[in-house]
Amino acid sequence: MSTAAVEENRRWETHSDILFDALPYLLLLLPTAWSLTHDHSGGGQQPVLLALVAAAACWSALTYTLPTRRLSRRRYGTAPAAAYLAGLLALAAALMAHDRVFMLFAATGFLQALVLLPTCWAFACVAATSFVVNTVPAGLPEPTPTALIPYAGTIAFQTVLVGWINLLSSRLGQQHRDRRHTVAELRTALTENAGLYAQLITQAREAGIHDERRRMAGEIHDTLAQGLAGIIRQLEAAEHTETDDEDRRHHIRTAKTLARESLREARRSAQALRPEQLESTTLPEALGTLARTWAHGKELQLSFETTGTTAPLHPELEATLYRVTQEALTNTAKHARATQITLTLSYMDDLVVLDILDNGTGFPPPHAAVPDGTTAAGGTNGANGTAGAGSSDAADAAGGTSDTSGAVQAEGAAGAGHGLGLIAMRRRLSRVAGTLTIESAPGEGTALSAAVPAIPPGAGT
């Protein structure tokens, strides 16, 4: 309900209360004016009439208006209200003895009984009012059935009809007041919750900004940072090629290709799109292409195989496994000095697991606990190691360090790699309810296992 509608209702209720408060005086004034202007007694009865009118007005003021403090619809006790209505009917009967037009004043009992008295007492008052109205002007009927039956029937019918109408009106009025009270309580609750709602909106906005920062930090690391690192390596190789012009041109062409690919991926990351390689191919095909492209020109053997029955996954899950593979291969090239890498993508009933094994240098296991449900036997070199001295800053760029400080210290103690590394992979997997398991030892290579739930496309939408 609008504020204007509420104010309109309040104005109508105020006017209604004023009218109800003035009801006895209004119903007394009208017949008084009529009686005085149509007096056929020569004025001899007017002093008595005026005295009775004054008595009725004083009685109404002393026993009704003042006790209710102008809250005319408020019940102020059964006994005081019953005394007020009894005196009013007695004075109305006396006035009706002078002029039956004061029957209008007696009707006050009909209108006020069910407002001021409980239901049983109210019906008794209505019956008494009906008795006065039907008896005083003409007197008691003859003690015969033909006279008594219509007389009693009229009083009974009048009592039931007027009482029922007044009772219905009283119940509807009470329901309206209850609804108004409920609306007032709801408005109060909404006002009290307005501050909390605004605070929740602010927190949700800040959380969205925080998550977007972390996503962009991860995307930049997985696309731009790795692409720039590849470009630098190609340009350095071209710089060191002094005699073979064809070899130099090959490195420069490769650097250009990496730059274009990095630019495309940066644009896709800004638009929150999945890797371009997954748009037109399946995950196994995309990982196979990634493995062949990455191994091209490197002195190592890389094999890729798929086990189980392949099935499409939710796009976010496929993008996560693709990015984890990119991160692991990049870190292997930078730190592990491996000559053999094996990638295995296994489809199970409720999980899809990506295993990456290399025969590189490995690293000693860290002593700090690894959070986020990740188990680890190592931290920085090989397929998994990039969090070393620079990891704390990288974690800050990704959206905070409070949940990864233990892992950062552990990974930093194990090697001297730089970048997001394990933090990036761990956070990517944690966003999709995945897990990361790492096993490594000095001189024995590294085994990384990333598992995600086998959720099909469209689930949860």
Side-chain angles (χ1 to χ4, degrees):
M1 183 181 294
S2 64
T3 303
V6 172
E7 292 299 325
E8 184 69 18
N9 285 339
R10 287 178 179 174
R11 285 195 295 270
W12 276 107
E13 289 176 1
T14 300
H15 295 159
S16 176
D17 287 340
I18 294 174
L19 179 62
F20 196 82
D21 183 58
L23 186 64
Y25 309 100
L26 182 62
L27 296 181
L28 179 62
L29 178 62
L30 292 176
T32 300
W34 174 271
S35 181
L36 292 176
T37 56
H38 295 76
D39 183 18
H40 301 292
S41 64
Q45 299 295 325
Q46 287 187 357
V48 178
L49 177 64
L50 292 175
L52 288 174
V53 169
C58 291
W59 177 260
S60 297
L62 294 175
T63 60
Y64 170 62
T65 303
L66 294 179
T68 59
R69 298 177 183 176
R70 299 191 63 82
L71 298 175
S72 57
R73 296 179 186 272
R74 187 188 70 176
R75 289 184 179 180
Y76 59 104
T78 301
Y84 156 68
L85 290 171
L88 183 143
L89 288 178
L91 289 167
L95 288 167
M96 288 172 63
H98 283 270
D99 193 336
R100 67 173 58 199
V101 73
F102 283 97
M103 184 186 303
L104 188 62
F105 177 61
T108 305
F110 287 141
L111 301 175
Q112 290 186 327
L114 281 165
V115 175
L116 302 178
L117 293 172
T119 303
C120 293
W121 284 91
F123 270 91
C125 180
V126 170
T129 303
S130 181
F131 173 78
V132 170
V133 168
N134 288 279
T135 303
V136 173
L140 291 171
E142 294 292 333
T144 61
T146 55
L148 289 175
I149 291 177
Y151 170 76
T154 300
I155 293 176
F157 177 77
Q158 203 171 53
T159 299
V160 173
L161 180 62
V162 174
W164 182 81
I165 293 175
N166 283 344
L167 179 62
L168 180 61
S169 176
S170 177
R171 293 292 185 268
L172 292 176
Q174 184 61 43
Q175 289 178 4
H176 174 70
R177 288 188 290 273
D178 291 342
R179 285 194 297 270
R180 187 180 63 181
H181 179 68
T182 302
V183 170
E185 290 182 340
L186 289 175
R187 286 182 175 274
T188 302
L190 289 175
T191 302
E192 293 175 351
N193 290 336
L196 178 60
Y197 178 75
Q199 183 180 358
L200 291 175
I201 292 296
T202 301
Q203 291 176 350
R205 186 184 301 111
E206 292 175 351
I209 294 173
H210 180 72
D211 290 343
E212 182 63 15
R213 285 175 178 172
R214 293 178 61 175
R215 184 191 71 80
M216 288 301 299
E219 293 291 344
I220 289 171
H221 174 267
D222 291 341
T223 57
L224 290 179
Q226 294 180 11
L228 291 173
I231 293 170
I232 291 172
R233 286 196 297 271
Q234 293 298 326
L235 293 177
E236 288 176 345
E239 188 179 42
H240 292 119
T241 303
E242 299 178 354
T243 58
D244 192 343
D245 291 340
E246 181 62 30
D247 193 23
R248 184 185 299 109
R249 284 193 295 270
H250 170 73
H251 288 302
I252 293 174
R253 286 195 300 270
T254 303
K256 290 180 178 179
T257 300
L258 288 173
R260 294 189 184 97
E261 291 178 353
S262 298
L263 180 60
R264 285 198 302 270
E265 284 301 312
R267 289 170 176 168
R268 296 180 67 82
S269 296
Q271 298 173 3
L273 299 176
R274 60 192 300 203
E276 183 179 10
Q277 293 81 354
L278 294 173
E279 291 294 338
S280 58
T281 61
T282 64
L283 177 62
E285 292 172 345
L287 291 182
T289 302
L290 173 64
R292 289 190 298 272
T293 303
W294 182 86
H296 180 71
K298 295 182 176 64
E299 296 180 355
L300 55 77
Q301 293 181 350
L302 191 151
S303 62
F304 171 73
E305 63 175 338
T306 303
T307 64
T309 302
T310 60
L313 297 177
H314 191 282
E316 186 68 18
L317 297 174
E318 293 188 342
T320 297
L321 291 176
Y322 187 87
R323 294 302 190 195
V324 167
T325 305
Q326 281 183 314
E327 178 66 30
L329 292 177
T330 298
N331 292 324
T332 298
K334 287 195 292 185
H335 306 295
R337 297 192 293 275
T339 60
Q340 186 174 356
I341 301 175
T342 301
L343 274 66
T344 305
L345 184 64
S346 304
Y347 286 84
M348 304 177 188
D349 291 338
D350 55 354
L351 288 176
V352 177
V353 181
L354 173 67
D355 294 307
I356 304 175
L357 288 78
D358 69 62
N359 64 347
T361 57
F363 49 86
H367 298 291
V370 180
D372 297 335
T374 304
T375 60
T380 58
N381 294 330
N384 61 311
T386 62
S391 294
S392 179
D393 293 338
D396 287 336
T401 59
S402 60
D403 61 337
T404 57
S405 58
V408 170
Q409 294 172 3
E411 293 156 10
H418 299 278
L420 291 176
L422 286 178
I423 297 174
M425 288 188 280
R426 180 181 301 116
R427 283 179 172 165
R428 281 191 176 278
L429 289 165
S430 66
R431 286 201 298 266
V432 295
T435 60
L436 181 66
T437 303
I438 304 167
E439 296 179 0
S440 184
E444 297 185 7
T446 301
L448 179 149
S449 180
V452 297
I455 300 175
T461 60

